């Protein structure tokens, strides 16, 4: 800024005001200062600004597993909402581990983030970390800021299958300690009447007993009358589709399959997957707005920049999910229909 000031014969304070849009500087002089700044390759120092204001204008985002294709989509939605609010984002991956999650939060705090968005591992609660926190999990998680209404989403997909005449269900979850997955399965069960049979299997338990690449045993369930398989994730639904098709079982003519999350591959697999769509842009917008509101309030009441905060509250705590009906769900097969023996049909 001193070089710009010397080149134009003005003070450094005038340059600072012109570049930040503050103070009384004529429009003509502002244009000259900005052009000279471009010529000299001037880039504002965020570190310097942070020292002056006590704020970094950066938020931290902690994801539970960035290898899952759902979470990069969530990260993109959060980054867009943060950018629209004038904030950058630093991302950390807890890699499905609670200890790693705690370490990731500590590292982001050390880097001076103004606030955190945490998508917690196994619905863990986040204590006082010295800055505002927006937790995005499920409405049943204590301290949740905003999330999709996972219970409602489960009920929607179950009602869709019941309306198609299905009476014998296999529900597939992955982690029995996950609040989100329990809410999705709970929502499904809430839509079942007394005449509906259903069995739930948890893949984490199954894989621990049988090994990572073991069969899910779907052919046995279908032989025992299951006509609809509802998974808590599109990733698990894809595994179901693969196992059924390998066994020669037609989807949806013999068994309907549904997923959750409407991942990028869901409309293009064969058959295209009936699933439940999460409005990630709306969730991100609400979470970031709640976080920024708390940061701004803290800025006006705490000159040192130090906040004591807990998880923040959004204007809306749960966002409706949308059922996406595609080719993998259809009318229930008649109980008298012949069962394939594995040959090509």
């Amino acid at each position: 800024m001193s070089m710009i000031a010397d080149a134009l014969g003005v003070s450094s304070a005038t340059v600072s005001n012109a570049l930040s849009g503050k103070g009384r500087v004529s429009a003509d002089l502002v244009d000259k200062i900005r052009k000279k700044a471009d010529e000299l390759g001037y880039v504002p120092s965020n570190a310097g600004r942070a020292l002056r204001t006590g704020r970094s204008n950066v938020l931290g985002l902690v994801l539970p597993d960035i290898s899952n294709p759902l979470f990069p989509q969530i990260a993109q939605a959060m980054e867009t909402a943060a950018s629209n609010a004038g904030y950058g984002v630093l991302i950390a991956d807890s890699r499905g581990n609670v200890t790693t999650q705690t370490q990731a939060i500590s590292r982001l705090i050390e880097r001076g983030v103004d606030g955190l968005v945490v998508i917690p591992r196994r619905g863990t609660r986040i204590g006082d970390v010295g800055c505002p926190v927006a937790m995005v999990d499920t409405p049943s998680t204590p301290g949740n800021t905003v999330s999709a209404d996972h219970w409602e989403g489960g009920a929607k997909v179950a009602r869709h299958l019941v309306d198609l005449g299905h009476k014998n269900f296999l529900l597939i979850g992955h982690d029995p300690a996950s609040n989100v997955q329990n809410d999705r399965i709970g929502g499904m069960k809430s839509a079942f009447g007394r005449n509906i049979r259903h069995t739930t299997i948890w893949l984490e338990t199954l894989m621990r007993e049988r090994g990572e690449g073991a069969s899910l045993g779907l052919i046995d369930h279908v032989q025992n009358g299951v006509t609809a398989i509802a998974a808590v994730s599109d990733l698990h639904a894809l595994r179901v589709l693969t196992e059924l098709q390998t066994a020669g079982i037609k989807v949806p003519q013999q068994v309907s399959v549904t997923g959750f999350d409407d991942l990028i591959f869901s409309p293009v697999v064969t058959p295209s997957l009936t699933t439940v769509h999460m409005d990630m842009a709306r969730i991100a917008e609400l979470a970031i707005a709640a976080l920024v509101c708390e940061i701004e309030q803290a800025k006006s009441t705490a000159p040192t920049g130090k906040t004591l905060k807990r998880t923040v509250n959004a204007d809306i705590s749960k966002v409706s999910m949308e059922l996406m009906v595609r080719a993998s769900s259809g009318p229930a097969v008649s109980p008298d229909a012949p069962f394939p023996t594995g040959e090509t049909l």
Side-chain angles (χ1 to χ4, degrees):
M1 285 198 292
S2 296
M3 292 172 65
I4 297 169
D6 290 344
L8 296 175
V10 297
S11 69
S12 294
T14 299
V15 173
S16 177
N17 287 337
L19 294 175
S20 63
K22 298 176 182 177
R24 296 182 178 180
V25 184
S26 70
D28 182 54
L29 184 53
V30 167
D31 286 343
K32 288 180 180 178
I33 289 171
R34 289 182 175 172
K35 284 178 182 176
K36 182 57 69 175
D38 288 341
E39 287 174 18
L40 296 175
Y42 169 77
V43 177
S45 169
N46 289 329
R49 184 182 294 130
L51 283 172
R52 290 195 311 275
T53 64
R55 298 290 166 187
S56 63
N57 274 53
V58 175
L59 304 177
L61 172 61
V62 181
L63 300 172
D65 180 8
I66 206 166
S67 67
N68 183 320
L70 169 65
F71 295 115
Q73 292 182 43
I74 292 177
Q76 184 179 52
M78 290 293 175
E79 195 281 331
T80 299
S83 178
N84 290 340
Y87 284 77
V89 177
L90 287 177
I91 297 174
D93 180 14
S94 67
R95 300 190 292 280
N97 183 280
V98 176
T99 301
T100 306
Q101 174 181 278
T102 302
Q103 293 169 345
I105 290 172
S106 297
R107 284 196 302 272
L108 290 170
I109 296 297
E110 288 168 5
R111 283 163 173 75
V113 296
D114 292 337
L116 288 169
V117 179
V118 180
I119 302 173
R121 168 64 174 159
R122 297 177 183 266
T124 48
R125 298 184 71 170
I126 308 300
D128 178 15
V129 295
C131 74
V133 176
M135 185 186 293
V136 180
D137 195 45
T138 188
S140 67
T141 297
N144 189 64
T145 298
V146 62
S147 65
D149 191 341
H150 298 283
W151 187 282
E152 175 209 43
K156 281 183 176 180
V157 75
R159 281 195 294 268
H160 164 66
L161 292 167
V162 169
D163 289 344
L164 288 170
H166 295 280
K167 299 183 186 303
N168 196 335
F169 287 75
L170 178 63
L171 311 181
I172 296 184
H174 181 262
D175 180 2
S178 164
N179 289 355
V180 169
Q181 293 181 34
N182 275 296
D183 280 359
R184 290 177 175 186
I185 286 180
M188 292 176 195
K189 291 178 179 178
S190 73
F192 293 153
R194 292 183 179 180
N195 64 333
I196 302 296
R197 294 174 56 195
H198 57 85
T199 301
T200 304
I201 61 172
W202 293 98
L203 298 185
E204 194 172 84
T205 305
L206 191 71
M207 297 303 103
R208 190 163 53 243
E209 294 170 354
R210 302 181 185 176
E212 221 27 69
S215 164
L216 303 183
L218 300 181
I219 194 165
D220 294 333
H221 288 284
V222 176
Q223 285 176 328
N224 289 328
V226 165
T227 63
I229 302 176
V232 298
S233 160
D234 289 351
L235 285 174
H236 306 320
L238 183 60
R239 183 170 182 175
V240 168
L241 283 174
T242 301
E243 187 165 316
L244 291 176
Q245 291 169 342
T246 301
I249 300 170
K250 290 185 176 181
V251 178
Q253 292 88 339
Q254 292 169 297
V255 179
S256 287
V257 176
T258 62
F260 238 101
D261 294 326
D262 196 21
L263 297 180
I264 192 168
F265 61 77
S266 302
V268 296
V269 295
T270 303
S272 57
L273 186 61
T274 293
T275 185
V276 187
H277 178 80
M278 180 163 41
D279 189 348
M280 289 179 280
R282 179 62 175 148
I283 292 166
E285 179 184 289
L286 288 164
I288 296 298
L291 200 54
V292 169
C293 179
E294 186 61 47
I295 291 167
E296 295 301 319
Q297 286 180 1
K299 188 185 294 185
S300 61
T301 58
T304 60
K306 193 74 176 174
T307 22
L308 303 173
K309 259 311 177 187
R310 68 285 168 192
T311 53
V312 300
N313 297 318
D315 291 338
I316 299 170
S317 63
K318 51 188 178 183
V319 175
S320 227
M321 302 190 83
E322 181 183 1
L323 178 67
M324 311 296 290
V325 178
R326 298 193 179 111
S328 68
S329 58
V333 65
S334 163
D336 300 324
F339 183 81
T341 56
E343 67 270 22
T344 303
L345 301 178

